[in-house]
Amino acid sequence: MATILAIGIATLDIINTVNQYPQEDTEIRALSQRICRGGNATNTLVILSQLGHHCTWGGVYVNDPDGQLILEDLAQHHIDTSNCRIESQGKVPTSYIILNQRNGSRTIVHYRLLPEFDFKDFQSIQLNPFDWLHFEGRNIIETARMLERVQQIAPTLPISLEIEKPRPQIEQLFNKVNVLLFSKAFAQANAQKFAYNKNDAATFLRTMQQLAPKARLFCTWGAKGAYALDTDGTLFHCPAYPPSQIVDTLGAGDTFNAGIIDNLCRQQNLATALNHACRLAGKKCGQLGLSISTT
Ligand code: ADP
Ligand code: FRU
């Protein structure tokens, strides 16, 4: 069991389940609606907490009913929110999500009107209790300063970084961390810029390794599973673990990231961690939400 701090977002997710993805400019009825907390970093913490780790979230929320819903969910999962910044104005990041019952696909329209957790907020967190830090690759300038602070004051503390979307200058974060968790969307969006085939995860990872030679790299690939590249150049692939029915892929990547962090905290090797993360993410795709049974 490890003590883990994650810096990133919590969202309000408004999830409409439909029996097929709608055409533009039409009206359809949702089969059901679910309103719950989401957000990559906090989703990952919710899984890690269920796997037995002590989890702390560093992020921003608004002191309003939506913020309360987020806090209550995190409290239920025993996640410490005492280092968060609380705003009296603005709106918690909100995702309007269409979940297609036929294939479990999730389409997200995201809106935010809230300042990001910044370097000043991070500076006031005592890092001594933590065994692992996890960051979202967002708010690049401030996140770079946070990572540099960790390198200065706690150089042996392992750091993982999720790289989900292309953002200006995001590459400057890569060589400041130990573990990089890439998404397929990021790999494909950068294929032209770095001149590799967009369907070739292995070459993508080898290209990224040149920017972060000391980091261990992972990349999810949807129904094709995921890949990992060790610092010595060894490449691993693990096929997906398809559930009997794909029900809900929302948060599959966040679950995968939790699986990796969990196993690396337990000193498992890369291949074992990759397999564990794919198994966990596959199971998640076969159910609604992020409750996992650990028996
Ligand atoms: P996200 O879109 O949430 O970032 P991905 O779609 O890349 O995440 O999926 C993350 C992981 O979830 C994959 O590496 C895989 O292990 C698992 N996964 C995703 N889709 C499926 C699927 N259809 N069947 C089984 N596992 C899946
Ligand atoms: C899933 C998720 C949702 C959230 C959105 C934010 O990965 O974290 O819970 O609304 O992504 O980008």
Side-chain angles (χ1 to χ4, degrees), residues 111-235:
Y111 175 71
R112 62 173 294 131
L113 182 65
L114 195 66
E116 296 267 6
F117 197 73
D118 61 20
F119 177 70
K120 209 160 143 273
D121 301 312
F122 182 73
Q123 219 177 6
S124 62
I125 303 179
Q126 265 291 341
L127 296 181
N128 299 1
F130 297 108
D131 303 308
W132 191 282
L133 302 190
H134 176 66
F135 289 80
E136 282 180 32
R138 57 187 307 118
N139 191 20
I140 306 303
I141 305 297
E142 294 290 303
T143 302
R145 294 181 67 199
M146 298 184 217
L147 297 175
E148 281 156 13
R149 175 173 169 80
V150 183
Q151 286 179 319
Q152 277 161 16
I153 68 168
T156 58
L157 188 52
I159 310 175
S160 53
L161 175 68
E162 178 203 48
I163 304 293
E164 192 190 43
K165 300 180 187 74
R167 298 184 199 268
Q169 298 185 51
I170 196 163
E171 292 86 7
Q172 69 166 273
L173 305 180
F174 292 4
N175 67 359
K176 302 182 186 344
V177 302
N178 309 88
V179 173
L180 280 160
L181 299 158
F182 293 103
S183 71
K184 180 180 177 186
F186 180 86
Q188 298 205 317
N190 276 290
Q192 227 177 353
K193 178 172 169 188
F194 289 97
Y196 54 80
N197 175 338
K198 78 180 177 61
N199 298 313
D200 181 356
T203 310
F204 162 68
L205 285 179
R206 293 200 191 286
T207 308
M208 293 301 109
Q209 190 168 51
Q210 289 164 21
L211 304 175
K214 293 191 186 134
R216 292 184 283 175
L217 313 185
F218 295 86
C219 184
T220 56
W221 216 261
K224 296 232 169 93
Y227 295 79
L229 184 62
D230 212 339
T231 43
D232 66 1
T234 313
L235 181 81

Side-chain angles (χ1 to χ4, degrees), residues 35-48:
I35 300 181
C36 56
R37 181 213 48 77
N40 295 11
T42 49
N43 281 344
T44 295
L45 287 179
V46 159
I47 301 288
L48 283 167

